[in-house]
Amino acid sequence: MYTAWKALVRKDVRLFFANRRAVLMSVVAPIAMASFFGYLFGGNGGQPEATRIPVLVVDQDGSPISRGIVARMSGDKALVLMPAGMEQAREAVRKGKATVAFVIPEKFGEIAARAFFGNAAKPEIALLYDPTHGAEMGMVQGILSGHVMEAVSQEAFGGPGSSRLVKDSLADLDKNSGLPPDLKPSLTAMLKAIGQWNAQSQGRPGASQAGLTVPFGTRTEAITSGTGIPYNGYAHYFGGMGVQFILFVGIEVGMGLLLQRREGLWSRLRAAPLSRSVLLGSRAASAAITSMFILVFMFAFARVVFGVRIQGSLPGFLGICAAFSLMTAAFGLLIAALGKTPEATRGIAILGTLLMVMLGGAWVPTFLFPQMLQKLTLAVPTRWAVDGLDAMTWRGMGFSASLGPMAVLVGFALAFGALAVARFRWEE
Amino acid sequence: MLEVKGLRKSFGPLAAVDGVSLRARAGEMVGLLGPNGAGKTTTVSMIAGLLRPDAGEVLIAGRPLGGDTDPAKRNIGLVPQQIALYEELPAGENLALFAALYGLEGSAGRRAIGSALDFVGLADRGKDRVATFSGGMKRRLNLAAALLHDPELLLLDEPTVGVDPQSRNAIFDNLEALKKRGKALLYTTHYMEEAERLCDRLVIIDHGKVVADDTMHGLYRLLPAANMLSVELDEAEDGAGLDALRRLPEVQSLEKRGAGLRIGVRELAATPKVLAWLLDHGYSYQHVASERADLETVFLSLTGRSLRD
Ligand SMILES: Nc1ncnc2c1ncn2[C@@H]1O[C@H](COP(=O)(O)OP(=O)(O)OP(=O)(O)O)[C@@H](O)[C@H]1O
Ligand SMILES: [Mg+2]
């Protein structure tokens, strides 16, 4: 019995490696896709360089305030700022070369400064943005508000035109009837005090820095396996794409069995004194071996090329790989058991696989899913595989964290396998 | 060695095998003959335990097969009609797999593989991938795969389709040798020459039913004429003068085609008498040939259909 088992497994593994194109397809394709996604979403560590937003500025004002805004924006680490003309800016955003362009209109500085103290009409900064990058637009808008506030307030408190600004504001205040009369004296006093401050501080070192500033900064830290170890986007996507392509191996197992049945090979094997579980089990075992090979090869590649490390438990990682490989093999048997002809089965099997992959979070991490869906996808085996691999790689969890995913995957494997053996059409 | 009783198998409304009984003793080669769709492969599949019969019984060495893992399956060597080999693997590895399925590995396995390859004349091709083989070579390897575990009963389902005459003769010689060594063989074919040459007994089936089960000799007795004389007369004879020939007791049939005559006689010994009669009655001839009625004729007379339709 063991001799036959061994020979059957060996045969399948030999057949897998004999088909160079298939091997290439199941190893190179997932590596290529994982590298691409990994590069796109996160890369390895420290995002800022990779994710600076290209922004264009059209300065139609040219006042000290507008120049101050441009200078501050240029210094921002999240942006790459370039000056541009109006038409040029529109064109660049339309073509996707710049994500956002903002336009500082003529007289912006003057009007903005006046609006700063009184309720004069507020000038507008136009933001042109690429509609596919709504999130970046919001970010640029936020950064811009901060810098405009600083630039305008600095000008108001001690800038070259500040004494005239205070005078104009006081004149506006006299004309303005909207303010309750009892409040007018206090505001007048405040503006006069500012005028006095400006007169005194003019030309004195250190004093010109006054003005309103955003009273806080932010520090971001991605929570990964430990302080100092940066998030590695490649780790997630190598797991995800590995899972996807190994499921494709599962499909091939199913297709292979259906083809063997059609070609009479299956009957020939059945003529030997072998139990059904040896026949199907050996196929599952060989599929698990090839799947395991693909996963390990992929992560070895990721390690050498992208520095992806198993930050968590190595046995846990291997265990999850093995459990998932088994699950896929059983999934392949199930396809063979439920499918009629290879042609009719392939399409539906691929659809099912892609659904599993998608719901499992291999394309888009599940934490981005709505709460409901996050709960529902716990019923999808791939979810456990992807989460488990994430846990063992960049999350750096210990062996105990691998037990849950492993148990669930082995459970699915047993359920699929049992169903496959029960439903497999032996005769024909 | 093999005993089949009242086998039946239907696929939907079609009774593919409809009460087939047959037996093959040790040292005996039994031909299973019938046109396409007669139910030969279905019968063989049931004997090999691949298909569950709707009714009837298969006894191998006096015992029915007891499920997938019954060790008695080792007594059976199946040469399936469809070539069942892994094209991408070398011939030797294919055989190694089939040997292992019957528990043969190591030196015993290698010996079995070597002699099986010899048997089918592929000893020098063991390392080549099956995909590089010709159709006939694949057939031969397909046969070799069934011999590895030295089974007592060989089920051969059209094992020589597409094999060239030379290799075919070599295979036949080897099958004869197996028969002499006491193996029982069930040989399915619709090549009548093969069946005639090889088989001790023939079971002819049509539409799932056995229409004849006899030795070659017995089958010929079923025929109105066992031998055919072809005589070419010097001149065509259109008159009724030859009709008197039909009245000879030895003559069973008479066919005229211009100057050609086909005369059916029960025994070859009657030939001189017929020829003498022709000369006596003034019919001279140039060319005489005698041929035995073949299975084609037998089948035709049993079913009214040609074997290869
Ligand atoms: N799995 C099946 N499902 C449905 N019908 C089948 C099946 N297998 C065989 N048949 C039908 O049963 C009949 C007998 O088929 P079988 O293969 O036994 O014929 P055969 O004598 O081996 O013919 P051939 O000389 O062409 O090999 C045919 O009519 C065939 O169509
Ligand atoms: Mg057949």
Side-chain angles (χ1 to χ4, degrees), chain B residues 186-198:
Chain B
L186 184 67
Y187 192 100
T188 294
T189 184
H190 45 223
Y191 287 128
M192 303 153 299
E193 315 83 55
E194 285 190 357
E196 286 196 58
R197 168 175 165 183
L198 289 170

Side-chain angles (χ1 to χ4, degrees), chain A residues 427-428, chain B residues 9-12 14-17 32-45 51 81 157-158 188-190 205 207-208 307:
Chain A
E427 302 194 344
E428 275 181 38
Chain B
K9 182 77 190 179
S10 296
F11 298 108
L14 174 83
V17 173
L32 185 59
L33 198 71
N36 290 144
K40 304 183 295 292
T41 299
T42 308
T43 302
V44 167
S45 298
L51 210 55
Q81 181 173 7
D157 197 351
E158 314 212 12
T188 294
T189 184
H190 45 223
I205 65 172
H207 295 307
L307 202 48

Side-chain angles (χ1 to χ4, degrees), chain B residues 220-295:
Chain B
Y220 286 129
R221 275 201 303 262
L222 294 175
L223 282 173
N227 288 281
M228 280 292 178
L229 285 181
S230 300
V231 181
E232 222 161 294
L233 300 177
D234 288 342
E235 280 165 48
E237 161 66 43
D238 330 301
L242 277 170
D243 289 353
L245 179 61
R246 207 174 293 217
R247 283 196 287 276
L248 285 181
E250 291 82 0
V251 173
Q252 292 177 305
S253 65
L254 177 66
E255 239 182 287
K256 284 186 286 187
R257 278 193 214 119
L261 295 181
R262 275 174 69 79
I263 307 163
V265 292
R266 181 158 289 149
E267 279 168 58
L268 211 53
T271 309
K273 197 167 172 192
V274 171
L275 294 179
W277 187 94
L278 285 172
L279 287 176
D280 289 349
H281 292 76
Y283 299 102
S284 55
Y285 46 84
Q286 295 254 308
H287 184 81
V288 177
S290 147
E291 66 189 66
R292 223 154 59 118
D294 58 14
L295 277 173

Side-chain angles (χ1 to χ4, degrees), chain B residues 18 65 72 95 100-101 112 134 136 156 158 205 211 234 252 263 282:
Chain B
D18 197 2
L65 281 185
L95 295 187
L101 296 188
S134 73
L156 306 134
E158 314 212 12
I205 65 172
V211 293
D234 288 342
Q252 292 177 305
I263 307 163

Side-chain angles (χ1 to χ4, degrees), chain A residues 172-293:
Chain A
D172 282 351
L173 193 59
D174 286 339
K175 275 182 252 155
N176 196 326
S177 51
L179 202 64
D182 54 327
L183 291 180
K184 224 180 238 181
S186 327
L187 191 53
T188 310
M190 189 186 102
L191 285 170
K192 282 187 173 150
I194 292 170
Q196 200 175 353
W197 154 269
N198 287 345
Q200 285 172 357
S201 63
Q202 207 63 247
R204 303 241 311 251
S208 65
Q209 290 310 310
L212 300 180
T213 61
V214 178
F216 66 93
T218 54
R219 178 179 62 83
T220 55
E221 181 184 341
I223 300 307
T224 57
S225 52
T227 22
I229 297 170
Y231 166 68
N232 192 322
Y234 290 108
H236 174 77
Y237 282 103
F238 269 84
M241 290 299 119
V243 160
Q244 170 169 338
F245 279 78
I246 281 168
L247 281 171
F248 286 153
V249 170
I251 295 181
E252 287 314 311
V253 169
M255 295 301 111
L257 284 175
L258 289 173
L259 271 174
Q260 276 197 20
R261 177 147 72 196
R262 175 188 292 173
E263 288 165 359
L265 265 163
W266 189 246
S267 304
R268 180 62 188 84
L269 296 181
R270 281 184 48 225
L274 302 172
S275 70
R276 301 175 176 200
S277 31
V278 166
L279 279 172
L280 287 185
S282 67
R283 189 64 195 95
S286 56
I289 289 173
T290 45
S291 303
M292 188 77 183
F293 161 79

